[in-house]
Amino acid sequence: MVTNFLEIHNSILGSIREPLILLDPGLKVVTANPSFYRTFNVKPDETEGVLIYDLGNRQWDIPRLRELLEDILPLNTTFNDFEVEQHFETIGRKIMHLNARRIYRKSNQTQLILLAIEDVSDRE
């Protein structure tokens, strides 16, 4: 059940400094950690339940990212260090490495996608 994942997210993943987003099978944001909300200067009520491609004036609607995310659940794939360079209205230019993988709970066959975002702007 999604509730169990949210409990895990809030207790463990919520303490991680890297921005994280948890997506449902339809690629809508289930939740994100505090670091995501701080980094992208957004609030949960404007993020949760929203299709990832619609976030930030559709700034996450990147064709290659779409392909990668849409393959994770049906093909049980992952991706690491997918580089995205984007200008965000509220926070400026960011260069990010994205990592994603399926989270699967066999007992109730819940599938979610964990998307981790590493800001490498200062290094690039």
Side-chain angles (χ1 to χ4, degrees):
M1 186 172 198
V2 173
T3 305
N4 292 335
F5 284 112
L6 293 179
E7 289 171 9
I8 291 169
H9 175 270
N10 291 332
S11 64
I12 298 171
L13 302 180
S15 67
I16 296 174
R17 288 183 282 172
E18 184 176 56
L20 302 170
I21 305 175
L22 200 57
L23 303 171
D24 71 12
L27 301 176
K28 289 185 179 178
V29 177
V30 174
T31 189
N33 70 346
S35 179
F36 177 85
Y37 295 120
R38 263 191 320 276
T39 300
F40 294 98
N41 197 23
V42 293
K43 295 182 170 82
D45 64 348
E46 60 194 25
T47 305
E48 294 172 5
V50 176
L51 186 66
I52 188 166
Y53 309 126
D54 292 337
L55 294 176
N57 296 322
R58 301 191 53 84
Q59 290 166 315
W60 293 95
D61 191 8
I62 301 162
R64 181 65 181 138
L65 177 60
R66 184 181 282 265
E67 287 175 31
L68 292 168
L69 287 173
E70 291 176 1
D71 282 348
I72 288 178
L73 294 182
L75 302 177
N76 191 19
T77 61
T78 64
F79 64 83
N80 294 299
D81 296 322
F82 174 66
E83 189 169 286
V84 171
E85 184 174 344
Q86 194 63 269
H87 180 82
F88 295 89
E89 290 178 19
T90 56
I91 60 172
R93 181 179 164 270
K94 293 285 181 188
I95 300 172
M96 303 163 289
H97 287 180
L98 308 182
N99 303 298
R101 58 202 11 76
R102 178 182 78 147
I103 297 175
Y104 178 71
R105 183 158 183 183
K106 191 174 184 176
S107 63
N108 60 8
Q109 299 186 353
T110 302
Q111 295 189 88
L112 298 171
I113 297 171
L114 178 64
L115 179 64
I117 304 161
E118 179 184 7
D119 183 354
V120 296
S121 303
D122 294 336
R123 286 191 266 163
E124 296 287 325

